[in-house]
Structure formats: structure tokens, C-alpha cells
Amino acid sequence: MNSLMPPATGERAPARAAPSATEAGSAGSTDPIYVTRPYLPPLEEFVPYLQEIWKRGTLTNNGPCHQELENRLAEHLGVGHISLFTNGTIALVTALQALRITGEVITTPYSFVATSHALLWNGIKPVFVDIDPRTLNLDASKIEAAITPQTTAILPVHCYGHPCDTDAIQSIADNYGLKVIYDAAHAFGVEDAGGSILRHGDLSVLSFHATKVFNTFEGGAIISPDAKTKRRIDHLKNFGFVDETTVVAPGINGKMSEINAAFGLLQLKHIEQALARRREIDAIYRRLLAGIPGIATIEGNERHSNHAYFPVLVGPDYPLERDALYALLARHGIHGRRYFHPLISEFPMYRGLPSAAPENLPNATRAARRVICLPIYPDMNDSDVTRITGIIRNPH
Ligand code: T4K
């Protein structure tokens, strides 16, 4: 557990259902504010789900809550086929297995380390390509130069929930016969002009971790384009079992439990309210940060955003270096996070790769030096945002 984890009890009231706009505007607080707090619906609403699970005695292995959540999520997200997982990382590892990816995979260094770790867990070599400085997503114009005869796939990330250049990536993949797996851990509910961005590529992988927009405590999912692919993924996440005596692949145990699935069903009832509150907070940040020299925000080109993160880039025109601003905010009890610093390519198991050289990744290197993700979550008050932006505007 990270040292910036809030105390389990005490200092700060537990997160609760999203406040109404009026409540949100009320009195401020000087309690610590973390980069995120999980969205927790009222506990009493969860109890009936637990009672049902106790009555049934089915705790896992594709139980009724699991099945219902798959159906409800497919409908909610507007996708055809979804397989629930125990977490996003095992889902990524399994997605690569499902498509039998080997050799080299082109990916971004500007992500959570799980993106590349999933490659190493499959014995695949990551090849890092730089990011677009505007979107902080993989720069599609630099992918072709990194393709070798060993390249089998592209693993881009919809970073902070902003869509990648999916058309350009698909056309490169088509030209070179490559698969595309999107790490869509941040992209729950995001839509572009054509609908859910989870429809792009061969597979998309979601995370339902506690820190995500939609959470099941721990959890994740793979979105497949067809029933056959979903079937293979479902076998792989259950040790490779097809029936009681048939094992078709060296699968893993990646199944989501009934408790996690039940929490997801409840969470889904509140998701629109939670997203609406995130949208409000995002808008206040943008209004109050506008015009501060050296503070840049990121614009996505999505039609429907989920406001999962609120990254700012601290440039040379700002009076403080990024780390000084980060420390100043922390002294005021505001614990943003430097997602994604260090870059994945800077960690010891990656930095020896030729593609990990900083001169190959100038935009990613610059973004990792400048970024701070400011707190954003449904339970935040407007006055929290005012206090945070006030410190950024007058950092003395
Ligand atoms: N791909 C991408 C692009 C990802 O971002 C991630 C995960 C994955 C793949 C893998 O998906 P999972 O296997 O995790 O499903 C956090 C999360 O643990 C991680 O899920 C997430 N990305 C990453 C961006 O952030 P840490 O090490 O920063 O988490 P932690 O524990 O320091 O939490 C951050 C803050 O959140 C805390 O200061 C307080 C708050 N918090 C956290 C937890 C866990 C709470 O208030 N309650 C909580 O229960 O990695």
C-alpha cells in the first residue's frame, strides 16, 4: 500500500454517494484530500445483495451476480461481449494470451506499469514509442518506424480516458497484419462520435479498481468483438476449463467473485450521478485554472468524457518546478499524484531496452517531468477545488 493512502478510519469521513450540487457548494474542509476516493454507494443499499449471496451460497465461478453484471455492463457500455475479471492486470495478461500474441509489441511508456508488465508476464518484448504531446497518447505517426518482423501487436492506452487516434492505429495494424489491444483501464463509459471507444481494436481491457470511475473494489474486464472470442477468454480465465473434464489451454484463475460483481451492480445504479459530479468538478477546475501562466490542461476529443483524472502540466512559465508545486500542495494536505512519473521505460526491468532511451521518447519524458494529477472524485466539494486552484494560482 502506498504511503499516500488515507487512514482507514478517523480523520476524514468515509466517501459517500455523490453530493448534490447545493451540498457541494457548502462549507470547505481542511482534511487531507487525495488524488481520488472510491465511489461508495450507501452501505444499506449493499446489504440486500449480501443477503442474497448468503442465501444462495454461490460465491464465485460465474454466479448469478457475475452473469447479471456482464449483461448490464454490455448494455450500459453499448458493447457486444464482456468478460469480467478479478482485476485489470490479469485481464491484460489474458487478452494477450487470447490473441496468442508473441515477439514484440509496440506500446506507450506513459502509463501505469501494469501495461508493460502484462507483456513481460507473456514473455513478450515491449517496444516503446513516444506519445503525442497534446493527448499524451501513443503517437500513431511514430508507430511504423518501430515495426520489425517480430512485431505482432500494438498495445495503446486511452490515457486518462482520452481516446487514442484509433483510425490511424487501425490502418497501420491492417497494413502490417498486427493485432490491437487497447488498455482502456481509464476509459469506462467514454464515447467518440461513433459510440463507445471500447469497440476499437481486437480487444479492449477495463479496470474496475477502487481508484477508477466505476469500481468493484478490485476488478476488470475484456471487451470482445464476438461470442467466439469471449468464449475463449472465459475459458482462459477459468484455468482453461470448458467442462468438468476438458481443459483446452493453460488458463489462469481470473474470475470475479460474486461480492465484487454484486457491488458492481449497485455501483451501476449510481454511475450517472457520479459521472455528473465529476463533470462539474472538471468544469470548475478548468474555469479556475484558466489563464495561469505555465499551467496547461489536457483536452480530449471524445464526445462523452468520464473525467477520470484531472492532469495538469507544469511548464517553464510557472514560478515553481513541478516537484515544488507537488510538495507545496502536499504541505496543504492536497495529495495529487505524478501519474505517470517515472515512465515505465525508466523502471529497471525496462530501461535496458533500446526503445527505452530517453532520446527516443522526448514527449513522454517531458510530460512525466511536468504532470500532476489533481484530486477529482464525486465526493469532493466545490470549495476543495477552489482551495486547490487558489494555491496553484498563488503558490507563496
Ligand atoms: N492499465 C492502466 C493504464 C492502469 O492505470 C491500471 C491501474 C492498470 C492497467 C491495472 O489495472 P488494475 O490491475 O489495477 O485493475 C493506482 C491503482 O492501484 C491502479 O489500479 C491504477 N491503474 C493506478 C493509476 O493507480 P497507486 O499505487 O497510485 O494506488 P494507491 O493505492 O496509491 O491509491 C491512490 C490514492 O487513491 C490513495 O492515495 C488514496 C486513494 N485510495 C486508494 C485505494 C486503493 C482510496 O481512497 N481508497 C482505496 O481503496 O495505483
Side-chain angles (χ1 to χ4, degrees):
M1 197 195 317
N2 194 286
S3 57
L4 287 180
M5 278 290 292
T9 52
E11 284 175 45
R12 189 164 167 81
R16 54 181 165 75
S20 67
T22 6
E23 266 180 285
S26 66
S29 136
T30 50
D31 289 341
I33 302 176
Y34 297 90
V35 67
T36 191
R37 292 289 277 150
Y39 181 72
L40 287 170
L43 181 57
E44 57 275 18
E45 290 187 25
F46 193 42
V47 174
Y49 290 87
L50 296 177
Q51 285 167 333
E52 282 299 308
I53 292 172
W54 256 245
K55 230 187 287 167
R56 278 194 297 264
T58 301
L59 309 189
T60 186
N61 288 7
N62 200 25
C65 291
H66 182 286
Q67 289 176 27
E68 191 181 343
L69 185 60
E70 285 196 344
N71 294 334
R72 290 275 178 88
L73 279 176
E75 198 182 319
H76 178 88
L77 295 169
V79 297
H81 305 275
I82 181 162
S83 302
L84 297 177
F85 273 79
T86 185
N87 61 57
T89 305
I90 297 286
L92 273 174
V93 169
T94 307
L96 292 158
Q97 291 262 326
L99 299 183
R100 299 181 174 83
I101 305 297
T102 56
E104 294 180 4
V105 168
I106 290 172
T107 191
T108 169
Y110 191 81
S111 179
F112 189 61
V113 73
T115 309
S116 287
H117 278 0
L119 296 172
L120 291 198
W121 272 84
N122 279 293
I124 296 165
K125 178 175 166 188
V127 175
F128 296 111
V129 163
D130 204 10
I131 57 170
D132 179 326
R134 289 162 303 135
T135 61
L136 308 184
N137 285 329
L138 200 57
D139 184 342
S141 72
K142 297 194 175 133
I143 291 176
E144 263 183 291
I147 296 174
T148 74
Q150 284 70 49
T151 310
T152 55
I154 309 171
L155 176 58
V157 177
H158 297 299
C159 194
Y160 308 130
H162 298 311
C164 293
D165 188 347
T166 50
D167 288 347
I169 291 171
Q170 196 56 54
S171 106
I172 295 165
D174 291 344
N175 285 342
Y176 289 86
L178 306 176
K179 299 285 188 196
V180 182
I181 298 176
Y182 281 102
D183 180 338
H186 303 173
F188 185 93
V190 176
E191 291 178 9
D192 62 18
S196 168
I197 65 167
L198 304 172
R199 75 189 185 283
H200 295 296
D202 294 280
L203 296 173
S204 287
V205 177
L206 289 163
S207 166
F208 303 151
H209 182 261
T211 55
K212 297 296 188 279
V213 163
F214 171 87
N215 91 78
T216 56
F217 281 44
E218 289 272 3
I222 303 181
I223 310 299
S224 312
D226 53 64
K228 188 168 169 235
T229 313
K230 171 173 161 56
R231 222 168 14 251
R232 174 163 164 75
I233 289 167
D234 288 346
H235 294 155
L236 282 171
K237 79 174 193 196
N238 187 26
F239 314 98
F241 274 110
V242 171
D243 59 36
E244 212 177 309
T245 52
T246 317
V247 173
V248 291
I252 199 157
N253 181 356
K255 293 168 274 118
M256 178 182 279
S257 85
E258 283 293 276
I259 292 238
N260 298 96
F263 188 75
L265 287 170
L266 175 58
Q267 178 97 184
L268 210 44
K269 290 188 177 166
H270 292 262
I271 190 72
E272 290 309 327
Q273 190 193 358
L275 289 175
R277 180 64 190 142
R278 282 180 177 275
R279 194 175 315 125
E280 285 174 1
I281 294 166
D282 183 291
I284 303 170
Y285 265 131
R286 286 180 194 278
R287 184 162 48 76
L288 296 181
L289 289 172
I292 302 180
I295 297 290
T297 54
I298 311 294
E299 302 291 339
N301 64 353
E302 59 272 16
R303 184 184 65 184
H304 185 72
S305 174
N306 65 8
H307 310 286
Y309 294 86
F310 199 91
V312 294
L313 298 176
V314 183
D317 294 342
Y318 192 72
L320 299 180
E321 301 267 332
R322 186 274 308 272
D323 286 346
L325 175 59
Y326 177 76
L328 175 70
L329 288 167
R331 282 201 295 283
H332 285 270
I334 295 151
H335 303 285
R337 289 299 281 270
R338 288 162 291 186
Y339 296 135
F340 290 101
H341 157 84
L343 293 175
I344 299 177
S345 47
E346 291 171 330
F347 289 117
M349 60 297 294
Y350 300 104
R351 63 178 168 231
L353 294 169
S355 65
E359 52 276 21
N360 184 46
L361 308 168
N363 295 329
T365 304
R366 198 174 308 113
R369 279 198 202 121
R370 293 185 176 177
V371 71
I372 303 180
C373 286
L374 299 177
I376 184 165
Y377 50 92
D379 199 29
M380 262 178 98
N381 293 320
D382 290 6
S383 53
D384 294 333
V385 187
T386 311
R387 189 156 75 85
I388 294 166
T389 53
I391 296 165
I392 297 173
R393 191 171 282 280
N394 296 304
H396 303 295

